[in-house]
Amino acid sequence: MSVISQRRVRLHALAAATAVALSSFVAAPALAGKAELSGLESAGTHDRFIVKYRDGSAERADVAKASAGLGRAAAGARTGMKMAHLRRMSSGADVVKADRKLDRAEAQSLMLQLAADPNVEYVEVDQLMKAVMTPNDTFYSSEQWHYFNATGGMKANEAWDVTSGVGSVVAVIDTGITNHTDLNANILPGYDFINDAAMARDGNGRDSNPNDEGDWYAANECGAGVPASNSSWHGTHVAGTVAAVTNNASGVAGVAFGAKVVPVRVLGKCGGYTSDIADAITWASGGTVSGVPANANPAEVINMSLGGSGTCSATYQNAINGAVGRGTTVVVAAGNSNVNVSGAVPANCANVIAVASTTITGQRSSFSNYGTGIDIAAPGSDIHSTLNAGTTVPGAQSYASYNGTSMATPHVAGVVALVQAHATTPKTPAQMEALIKSTARAFPVTPTQTIGPGILNAKAAVDAANGGGGGGTTTYSNGTDFTISDNVTVDSPIAVSGRTGNAPSNASVTVAIVHTYQGDLKVDLVAPDGSLYNIHNRTGGSADNVNKTVTLNLSTEVLNGTWKLRVNDNAAGDVGYINSWSVTF
């Protein structure tokens, strides 16, 4: 069969994708958008979706035309429902809502109809995220083992001899904040990004008041079979681990007690939507969000102790890439489901530091997610921090011990704040991730599953901030999308500076390319002197996408200079883009 005939068969197969069972990614007909279906698995029914129209399209320029397109898609899906346009996000994507809950089959049909529009770039579920937390009623008010314990601790007490994090800002994207004398002095103005008034519980939508109004809900209120839950005051607990007031003769200590916290409220009753969280990431890192005043205190690090299931969506990845591009390190909880982190969002997104949880013995916490996607482990069991005594609405300030990767994550965010405060030159997010990994403590016992290179070591990380130890490699990344058109060659650059000598013989290159028919593609790493190192050479035939990590001998190449990922497409009929790539040496 000729290549042209093979292409025709392939396009017919893509057009018939509506008959395929749920998958993590379905391509609509040629030239149409992406239907990212993994979010459908997060719940039994869905009514909110995110649709991104292409730049230059009529729908992108005119919301009325976008609404008309929604109507056509709803009719084509034949589910007997109507669609409404809720709002336009800072990214330019639109949040839309069906007039009733759709089961998975109906939601999939709608998404494929939306993606079939050539003007649509992608469509995804506006997924409801949950606070990643396992409450524990046992109190340890006089002991914070996670800072100093010789076996399972993170050596924060030793790092405090060098820095307390003064000058650093940490954004805690969570349930908001409650009044607490052990926190108030370290809290900066934040923002409430919850659009849905019922979820917000404060009687309105977005506003400049990030107070935690409580995330209590009644039985079945957040889904069939979901039992009632008291308010968690999750954001207050997380913020206390980051930067509780310390040396005040009461309460608890924070990892970076000299730093400041910007509370960003995205989780309310029943959780929080991807669209609100993505806007919060943009705002916290100093980006612009329509209708929201600028953040006067852009964060060096964002803490996200929240998550859901599925694959990383375009909305999440774009927001994260934007934050990283502005110099903000993004730290994310791996999740508490005792499964591989590859299925946990947003921990499985690129350009984040994914954090697993350990116990006082240094073993993996039984609930912690695991896998090769974990970047670092940190204490997350029996973590004592600030809280509130209210059951449904805020009450008296209190303290409590919680378990969860939610509790492990602010330890890492706090150490990032310590390092940035001590570093003479601010670390890029890629440099920070490499430093955190390379300075980790060896596990005192072999973990039951893979959870990164070791346990977070605050003292070693601070010591390595200015080259004083730690060594290790650095990962450089480019998360900007580069379009791969038919019969073209495209380069994605990464600039390396401040290094000496040559690259190693075991450099690692990771590529993520979205492109149907990978047999069209030749992928090379281009060294600063123009030398080519092949990564993929037109193999794989009709398979979709190129996602791989290769080890290359780059010992004859100097480190400093501009490295490029070069992709050549030598055929017509299939297009895509470089999603991201990184080189570690």
Side-chain angles (χ1 to χ4, degrees):
M1 184 183 292
S2 70
V3 171
I4 293 176
S5 296
Q6 289 175 341
R7 291 295 171 75
R8 288 172 178 160
V9 170
R10 178 173 173 74
L11 292 177
H12 284 304
L14 288 171
T18 54
V20 179
L22 282 177
S23 63
S24 62
F25 170 85
V26 173
L31 301 180
K34 295 180 292 184
E36 299 182 354
L37 303 180
S38 66
L40 292 173
E41 300 177 12
S42 64
T45 61
H46 302 276
D47 64 350
R48 289 171 56 118
F49 304 88
I50 299 171
V51 182
K52 176 72 178 296
Y53 288 98
R54 300 183 190 279
D55 292 342
S57 66
E59 292 85 352
R60 183 69 180 272
D62 187 340
V63 170
K65 287 185 171 59
S67 296
L70 295 176
R72 291 191 297 272
R78 298 181 180 180
T79 59
M81 54 79 188
K82 297 180 180 179
M83 297 293 296
H85 183 281
L86 295 184
R87 67 185 181 87
R88 181 153 285 179
M89 298 173 59
S90 60
S91 64
D94 294 299
V95 183
V96 303
K97 189 174 188 288
D99 63 354
R100 64 176 177 85
K101 294 284 188 180
L102 307 179
D103 63 28
R104 294 190 191 182
E106 292 175 317
Q108 177 177 330
S109 177
L110 172 65
M111 292 174 72
L112 291 172
Q113 285 291 328
L114 287 165
D117 184 340
N119 288 338
V120 169
E121 182 178 330
Y122 65 81
V123 56
E124 65 184 59
V125 174
D126 193 4
Q127 190 174 337
L128 192 65
M129 299 289 156
K130 305 289 185 179
V132 180
M133 174 206 49
T134 304
N136 188 314
D137 293 335
T138 303
F139 290 79
Y140 298 93
S141 59
S142 62
E143 184 178 4
Q144 290 182 286
W145 66 267
H146 34 107
Y147 293 155
F148 55 79
N149 182 270
T151 302
M154 55 175 281
K155 298 190 176 182
N157 57 322
E158 297 179 38
W160 295 333
D161 291 336
V162 180
T163 178
S164 65
V166 172
S168 291
V169 175
V170 182
V172 174
I173 297 180
D174 213 291
T175 65
I177 199 77
T178 57
N179 177 61
H180 205 296
T181 57
D182 220 10
L183 274 175
N184 292 345
N186 284 342
I187 301 299
L188 293 171
Y191 208 83
D192 180 354
F193 273 87
I194 301 177
N195 262 287
D196 188 286
M199 181 177 288
R201 299 192 70 207
D202 58 3
N204 55 33
R206 292 184 174 179
D207 56 44
S208 60
N209 180 4
N211 288 350
D212 190 339
E213 304 294 338
D215 52 350
W216 168 88
Y217 49 84
N220 301 316
E221 192 173 5
C222 298
V226 178
S229 173
N230 291 335
S231 293
S232 66
W233 317 113
H234 190 268
T236 298
H237 197 280
V238 170
T241 299
V242 173
V245 177
T246 305
N247 295 326
N248 61 344
S250 66
V252 294
V255 174
F257 55 85
K260 301 297 183 183
V261 169
V262 172
V264 188
R265 188 169 184 248
V266 297
L267 302 177
K269 190 175 189 176
C270 299
Y273 286 109
T274 297
S275 52
D276 290 337
I277 297 169
D279 277 353
I281 294 169
T282 298
W283 182 84
S285 60
T288 300
V289 176
S290 178
V292 178
N295 177 12
N297 303 287
E300 278 84 6
V301 54
I302 288 173
N303 187 102
M304 291 204 296
S305 292
L306 52 81
S309 60
T311 57
C312 182
S313 70
T315 296
Y316 260 129
Q317 194 62 69
N318 290 341
I320 289 166
N321 289 348
V324 169
R326 287 183 283 272
T328 302
T329 300
V330 181
V331 185
V332 182
N336 298 338
S337 301
N338 188 28
V339 297
N340 197 296
V341 72
S342 60
V345 183
N348 57 11
C349 294
N351 299 326
V352 304
I353 298 177
V355 186
S357 172
T358 52
T359 69
I360 193 171
T361 67
Q363 181 57 271
R364 179 180 73 94
S365 301
S366 60
F367 52 77
S368 178
N369 287 354
Y370 53 81
T372 56
I374 299 294
D375 294 302
I376 194 69
S381 291
D382 293 331
I383 304 302
H384 204 71
S385 188
T386 46
L387 207 70
N388 190 279
T391 302
T392 59
V393 297
Q397 68 179 40
S398 65
Y399 299 89
S401 290
Y402 275 179
N403 297 327
T405 54
S406 276
M407 286 60 254
T409 305
H411 289 84
V412 179
V415 169
V416 172
L418 293 177
V419 171
Q420 292 290 39
H422 183 57
T424 54
T425 301
K427 301 292 182 185
T428 67
Q431 291 170 333
M432 185 64 72
E433 179 179 339
L435 185 149
I436 293 291
K437 290 178 178 179
S438 67
T439 57
R441 293 182 58 200
F443 291 110
V445 293
T446 301
T448 57
Q449 297 283 356
T450 300
I451 52 171
I455 298 172
L456 178 70
N457 187 333
K459 178 61 162 63
V462 168
D463 286 346
N466 296 310
T473 58
T474 298
T475 299
Y476 302 86
S477 303
N478 189 332
T480 301
D481 290 351
F482 284 78
T483 300
I484 305 169
S485 302
D486 288 329
N487 295 297
V488 303
T489 298
V490 60
D491 287 348
S492 173
I494 289 176
V496 176
S497 62
R499 303 289 295 273
T500 59
N502 285 6
S505 59
N506 62 341
S508 176
V509 178
T510 299
V511 301
I513 298 171
V514 177
H515 189 285
T516 52
Y517 215 98
Q518 62 176 242
D520 290 353
L521 303 181
K522 183 173 183 288
V523 183
D524 294 299
L525 175 70
V526 184
D529 67 354
S531 300
L532 298 179
Y533 296 83
N534 187 250
I535 295 171
H536 174 85
N537 194 8
R538 311 197 197 287
T539 59
S542 62
D544 291 342
N545 308 330
V546 179
N547 294 288
K548 62 170 63 175
T549 298
V550 299
T551 300
L552 300 175
N553 182 354
L554 304 179
S555 57
T556 61
E557 307 292 342
V558 296
L559 282 166
N560 287 339
T562 299
W563 297 78
K564 301 174 183 176
L565 186 72
R566 176 167 295 169
V567 179
N568 170 257
D569 183 339
N570 73 339
D574 297 85
V575 296
Y577 58 95
I578 302 173
N579 186 36
S580 65
W581 74 284
S582 64
V583 58
T584 301
F585 43 35

